[in-house]
Amino acid sequence: MKTFTLSKLMASAAICAVALTSAAHADPHPDAELIIDGELKLNVRAEAPAHLDGALPELYSGWLFRTDETRALQMDDFENPAILAVEAGAELWETAQGATDQSCADCHGDAAESMKGVRASMPKVNENGDLWSMEDYVMNCQTTRMEAEPYGWNSSDMRNLTSFISMQSRGMPVDVAIDGAAAPFWEKGKEMYYTRFGQLELSCANCHEDSWGMMIRADHLSQGQINGFPTYRLKNAGMVSIHNRFRGCIRDTRAESFAIGSQEFRELELYVASRGNGLAVEGVAVRQ
Amino acid sequence: MSEVKPRIRLPRSVKAGQAAEVKTLVSHVMETGLRKDSSGNIIPRMIINRFTCEYGGEMVVDMALEGAISANPYVEFDIMVGDATDVVFTWYEDGGAVYTQTEQLTIG
């Protein structure tokens, strides 16, 4: 009897092992293409950059991991709820602020030209040698040039304006610099990516490098790419910034998270962005 | 995004006797009346409570909206195309404000 139970156990263990193997990398959508309004094709697959050293076989946008319905929302600018934020951001672009009574447009002119490519290269090292995210550049303009009260890092005005600015790079490949002055920040970001946090002792890599394509409870794990940010999350019914998403992820490991706009998150943003070098900037994505 | 702004999309052109797909979206907070502000006071309800569409003078959609409908309500439907080209969309807000927009169908 004992032997029988044991062999039965072993048999079910074997079945489990088989099931686990086949469930691993229950892949992103094999052939869906992201074409906006039937006109603009965005690359949702790309060759992995050399610095990844084989950690990912190919890059996949988070769009490929979502349901048919969620993917469809992003294929039509009329249905994409994030476009409302882009429109609100376009108004802010023209709105005069502060003691100088100047708007973004007064200096930067037509965003379609002056802001083209900005999202694709952020975050980057500024002229003083600090690593800055797009939000830092906006706040710096507001305080030093406009002499205005800066938007909060995660305020709705900031998310609307960064949505509008990101939209100007839609379709361009992500291309953040990781060498030269950016190298030490990138190294720190990489170290953070592979550091386990929280009571659950999970690093970014545990989910987004080792287990992408698998289910974590009811959620289909993506590669954790940030080429679609700022993103409209159906869960929040609003725009979500990159740092807000980082904070949520680290919180979910049951850790005390870093603050939005912290140096740690800027470095992580640089490293995570570099893992998506080659994917299209999606301007404003829609996710679950 | 607090401003109420209707958006409408009609097909570029349709033929009489066929169905035309109509997409509408209105930016609106759809405040439920159940939430409280930081000092604990109830934020009064402010929603779009009715949406209508008239085609050629005839009511083709009359919809009651409730507090559980999320912000920026999106409504999509088909209308059977006849000879008329006028399509009138109306959103009714709590407090009596009415937002109307008229669009033209291109029949050909």
Side-chain angles (χ1 to χ4, degrees), chain A residues 87-142:
Chain A
E87 287 180 11
E91 281 180 29
L92 293 174
W93 181 261
E94 306 280 347
T95 306
Q97 304 178 36
T100 57
D101 202 33
Q102 285 194 314
S103 69
C104 307
D106 284 333
C107 285
H108 298 290
D110 184 3
E113 286 181 20
S114 62
M115 293 295 123
K116 192 175 169 64
V118 170
R119 170 79 277 158
S121 64
M122 290 282 163
K124 66 178 182 186
V125 178
N126 72 5
E127 56 208 11
N128 296 326
D130 298 322
L131 181 68
W132 271 9
S133 301
M134 190 190 283
E135 285 88 344
D136 292 298
Y137 283 92
V138 172
M139 290 194 285
N140 178 59
C141 257
Q142 288 181 304

Side-chain angles (χ1 to χ4, degrees), chain B residues 39-86:
Chain B
S39 29
N41 303 312
I42 284 182
I43 305 170
R45 191 182 100 152
M46 180 56 76
I47 66 169
I48 297 287
N49 57 46
R50 183 183 176 207
F51 164 73
T52 64
C53 173
E54 288 171 69
Y55 172 59
E58 192 186 345
M59 185 75 80
V60 289
V61 169
D62 190 347
M63 176 182 177
L65 288 84
E66 303 290 347
I69 292 179
S70 56
N72 311 321
Y74 172 86
V75 182
E76 180 183 325
F77 50 91
D78 287 356
I79 53 177
M80 283 306 290
V81 179
D83 302 328
T85 57
D86 270 21

Side-chain angles (χ1 to χ4, degrees), chain A residues 33-181:
Chain A
E33 295 289 357
L34 176 50
I35 301 168
I36 311 278
D37 292 337
E39 287 166 4
L40 175 65
K41 186 181 168 205
L42 306 184
N43 286 332
V44 288
R45 298 175 188 81
E47 196 184 327
H51 71 74
L52 275 178
D53 208 13
L56 297 173
E58 193 182 7
L59 305 186
Y60 300 115
S61 162
W63 182 80
L64 288 168
F65 295 83
R66 305 280 61 95
T67 61
D68 293 352
E69 295 82 357
T70 308
R71 286 203 317 277
L73 278 176
Q74 203 185 321
M75 295 177 76
D76 183 337
D77 275 350
F78 193 88
E79 292 180 31
N80 182 344
I83 298 299
L84 294 173
V86 173
E87 287 180 11
E91 281 180 29
L92 293 174
W93 181 261
E94 306 280 347
T95 306
Q97 304 178 36
T100 57
D101 202 33
Q102 285 194 314
S103 69
C104 307
D106 284 333
C107 285
H108 298 290
D110 184 3
E113 286 181 20
S114 62
M115 293 295 123
K116 192 175 169 64
V118 170
R119 170 79 277 158
S121 64
M122 290 282 163
K124 66 178 182 186
V125 178
N126 72 5
E127 56 208 11
N128 296 326
D130 298 322
L131 181 68
W132 271 9
S133 301
M134 190 190 283
E135 285 88 344
D136 292 298
Y137 283 92
V138 172
M139 290 194 285
N140 178 59
C141 257
Q142 288 181 304
T143 49
T144 63
R145 295 195 200 168
M146 296 165 146
E147 297 172 37
E149 188 67 29
Y151 298 148
W153 184 287
N154 204 35
S155 64
S156 70
D157 280 345
M158 180 65 90
R159 284 177 282 137
N160 291 341
L161 186 59
T162 54
S163 298
F164 172 69
I165 295 172
S166 300
M167 191 68 163
Q168 313 308 321
S169 304
R170 182 157 81 169
M172 297 174 71
V174 176
D175 186 20
V176 292
I178 63 171
D179 51 359

Side-chain angles (χ1 to χ4, degrees), chain A residues 256-275:
Chain A
E256 189 72 40
S257 188
F258 299 94
I260 290 172
S262 62
Q263 182 63 17
E264 288 85 353
F265 275 168
R266 272 190 280 268
E267 289 157 1
L268 185 63
E269 183 186 342
L270 174 63
Y271 179 68
V272 176
S274 79
R275 291 175 70 95

